[in-house]
Amino acid sequence: MILFSPVRHSPDGLTLADQAVNAIEQAIEARVLRPGMTMPSIRRFARDHQLSTFTVQVAYSRLVARGFLQARPGAEYRVVRPGSGPERPVSTVWEAPRVGPAWLLSDVFADHSIAIKAGCGWLPPDWHNETGLQHALRQLARVPVGQMASYGHPLGYRPLREDVVRYLNGYGVEADVEQVLLTHGATQALDIVTRTVLRPGEHVAVEVPCYANLLQILVLNGIVVHGVPRMADGLHEATLQQLAAAYPLRAVFVTSVLQNPTGTSFSMAGAFRLLQWAERHDLIVVEDDVSRELLLEPAPLLTALASTRRVVYVSGFAKSVMPSLRVGYLVGDEDLVRRCAQTKMSLGLTSAEIMERTVHQVLRDGRQGAYLRDVRARLGRAHDQVCQQLHEARFEVSHEPGAGLFLWARPGVPIRTPGGAVGLAAEALQRSIWLAPGAYFYPDGRDEGWFRFNVAYSASPTLWKFFADAGLT
């Protein structure tokens, strides 16, 4: 029907879903596929082209959003002639969403119309451990409904909490299962910790640039935020000392490895300096550690160097298993975890045990280790390629970790677009390119021209042509 040979590890950075979308669009425009024709089922298209059904589902959904296909009852898809025909919505012009913090933090997660997601925070859909996930779901289907019909334990599914304990014990963290609270993703864990240990009007320190969602959590809870520059090996020590002398700080929030958005990781010396400073000033350290399993080499884990008395550990499975499962966790001393469990129950009762059981099955399946090794290798190659493209475009790259999802870079010449980096991101959306401007990662919204690049999505020539057209290369 169409000539399509998907290329894994595509040199131009296109995911398998991107390639399928492009091939089908070209076939429709060339009238190889004509209006009214029925597309192969998702399962058949996946089998014929050796793709996962998840990848084909993503591609078909994107084509529906762009008006090339129409979904019919019974999971049937038919070709639509773009711009004409009664089956097409009245408005045929794709309208880019309005860039801004609200879109970055919420709408983007439901927006499948963006072709190049250079600013997103997750792995491409077709990188995930599909075999392990399918096996986990088959195993879960055998569990009697009666065993999963209740709300579950407030702390979360015990076997998965035991998995977390074994994982952390391997890094030297002394904790037991009663010190682990499962949450609806790591972001909810940060919110629960904030609501439990802090009160409106209290002061905290955060690294800058900082995880954008954390900034919103702190603002929504009425916390006064002070920024500390994130350096290649940790936090800027002089700023820490100045803040501690000037304000009654209660806590400091940090990402120990592969920080979002800079990709930096603490050195051992940087970790000890931070913990000594927190000890002197009796501060709580909240360690966000969601990307550790993407590391190529060992790096300090603050909770292991101190203890759960001083450090609250937050992580999850969005990077290592799949973000849509929304399973995270926090680890602290037993008293704090009990109080956090009360906060969790007040906010939304228990977390989803079905999702927690799924993650547990994935972890015990035996394929996860090989999957993570493959992801680390693919990300390493993506870092090499995107770093080369950034240097060729004469961008300034703040740090080159060679691992994880992110690079933090800015053009080597001033951005002339009205609105700076944010204005340039708005223009990029008109070209179906998602950029993440640095202003979203600073408490004061400053614009210094930085962007967060997800290396798994940033090798597309279309992205770099956009920068060239904007006069930035």
Side-chain angles (χ1 to χ4, degrees), residues 318-351:
K319 304 295 188 290
S320 60
V321 180
M322 182 176 282
S324 62
L325 291 174
R326 306 308 306 133
V327 180
Y329 58 91
L330 65 88
V331 181
D333 65 51
E334 285 195 35
D335 177 66
L336 173 64
V337 169
R338 281 194 296 270
R339 292 189 289 125
C340 284
Q342 293 173 356
T343 304
K344 169 187 169 181
M345 295 295 289
S346 298
L347 292 173
L349 299 178
T350 61
S351 42

Side-chain angles (χ1 to χ4, degrees), residues 21 24-29 33-37 39 58-72 77-95 111-114 432:
V21 168
I24 294 170
E25 283 188 0
Q26 290 168 10
I28 292 173
E29 290 168 351
L33 295 175
R34 297 174 180 271
M37 291 178 65
M39 291 292 295
V58 169
Y60 276 21
S61 297
R62 197 179 298 170
L63 288 160
V64 170
R66 295 186 186 183
F68 284 90
L69 299 182
Q70 183 181 54
R72 295 282 189 126
Y77 292 84
R78 287 194 177 181
V79 178
V80 178
R81 179 186 296 116
S84 65
E87 295 177 335
R88 180 115 174 121
V90 173
S91 176
T92 61
V93 178
W94 178 76
E95 182 178 350
D111 192 335
H112 300 293
S113 63
I114 308 301
S432 196

Side-chain angles (χ1 to χ4, degrees), residues 133 136-137 140 325 353-362:
L133 286 163
L137 292 171
L140 195 62
L325 291 174
E353 185 173 308
I354 288 178
M355 300 300 188
E356 294 164 0
R357 284 176 177 263
T358 302
V359 171
H360 171 64
Q361 289 292 339
V362 169

Side-chain angles (χ1 to χ4, degrees), residues 190-191 193-195 198-207 210-226 251-253 286 443:
L190 291 170
D191 185 37
V193 171
T194 299
R195 291 171 183 264
L198 299 171
R199 296 292 176 266
E202 290 189 322
H203 296 248
V204 302
V206 301
E207 52 199 358
C210 179
Y211 176 44
N213 294 64
L214 172 62
L215 293 176
Q216 296 298 314
I217 287 170
L218 295 172
V219 169
L220 289 172
N221 284 288
I223 308 302
V224 181
V225 178
H226 303 278
V252 56
F253 289 78
V286 182

Side-chain angles (χ1 to χ4, degrees), residues 97-426:
R98 182 178 179 182
V99 68
W103 179 78
L104 180 69
L105 293 170
S106 57
D107 297 344
V108 66
F109 294 100
D111 192 335
H112 300 293
S113 63
I114 308 301
I116 300 172
K117 298 180 175 64
C120 78
W122 53 82
L123 292 168
D126 50 12
W127 283 33
H128 291 295
N129 179 12
E130 182 183 3
T131 303
L133 286 163
Q134 289 178 338
H135 182 261
L137 292 171
R138 286 194 297 270
Q139 293 295 109
L140 195 62
R142 297 189 180 102
V143 178
V145 173
Q147 292 185 20
M148 299 186 292
S150 65
Y151 277 105
H153 195 282
L155 294 181
Y157 184 54
R158 185 181 180 94
L160 182 56
R161 289 190 284 130
E162 292 171 347
D163 291 336
V164 170
V165 169
R166 284 190 290 271
Y167 170 76
L168 290 176
N169 287 167
Y171 284 97
V173 177
E174 296 182 0
D176 60 43
V177 71
E178 299 305 315
Q179 294 177 254
V180 180
L181 175 69
L182 300 183
T183 61
H184 186 72
T187 301
Q188 191 199 41
L190 291 170
D191 185 37
I192 288 172
V193 171
T194 299
R195 291 171 183 264
T196 303
V197 304
L198 299 171
R199 296 292 176 266
E202 290 189 322
H203 296 248
V204 302
V206 301
E207 52 199 358
V208 290
C210 179
Y211 176 44
N213 294 64
L214 172 62
L215 293 176
Q216 296 298 314
I217 287 170
L218 295 172
V219 169
L220 289 172
N221 284 288
I223 308 302
V224 181
V225 178
H226 303 278
V228 182
R230 176 74 186 228
M231 313 303 289
D233 64 346
L235 297 186
H236 190 262
E237 189 172 9
T239 304
L240 285 175
Q241 302 296 354
Q242 292 167 5
L243 288 177
Y247 302 101
L249 297 179
R250 287 273 290 117
V252 56
F253 289 78
V254 295
T255 303
S256 46
V257 300
L258 299 177
Q259 191 245 11
N260 181 356
T262 65
T264 55
S265 297
F266 271 84
S267 67
M268 189 63 73
F272 275 121
R273 287 196 299 268
L274 172 65
L275 292 172
Q276 289 168 351
W277 172 79
E279 189 71 29
R280 282 197 303 271
H281 297 283
D282 193 25
L283 302 181
I284 299 167
V285 178
V286 182
E287 179 180 18
D288 182 350
D289 196 35
V290 296
S291 294
R292 183 166 296 271
E293 292 196 275
L294 302 182
L295 279 171
L296 293 173
E297 298 177 352
L301 194 153
L302 303 179
T303 311
L305 295 175
S307 70
T308 54
R309 180 188 64 82
R310 175 64 58 199
V311 183
V312 182
Y313 183 83
V314 170
S315 189
F317 300 96
K319 304 295 188 290
S320 60
V321 180
M322 182 176 282
S324 62
L325 291 174
R326 306 308 306 133
V327 180
Y329 58 91
L330 65 88
V331 181
D333 65 51
E334 285 195 35
D335 177 66
L336 173 64
V337 169
R338 281 194 296 270
R339 292 189 289 125
C340 284
Q342 293 173 356
T343 304
K344 169 187 169 181
M345 295 295 289
S346 298
L347 292 173
L349 299 178
T350 61
S351 42
E353 185 173 308
I354 288 178
M355 300 300 188
E356 294 164 0
R357 284 176 177 263
T358 302
V359 171
H360 171 64
Q361 289 292 339
V362 169
L363 297 181
R364 68 180 300 193
D365 178 62
R367 298 176 175 88
Q368 188 69 359
Y371 159 71
L372 287 172
R373 286 191 294 274
D374 179 66
V375 167
R376 287 191 286 265
R378 295 176 76 171
L379 285 172
R381 291 192 293 270
H383 269 274
D384 291 342
Q385 182 174 1
V386 175
C387 278
Q388 180 179 345
Q389 290 170 307
L390 284 164
H391 290 309
E392 289 175 351
R394 299 181 181 177
F395 272 55
E396 176 187 353
V397 182
S398 73
H399 183 66
E400 297 184 22
L405 289 176
F406 304 121
L407 285 170
W408 186 244
R410 61 183 172 184
V413 297
I415 298 172
R416 303 299 184 188
T417 306
V422 175
L424 187 67

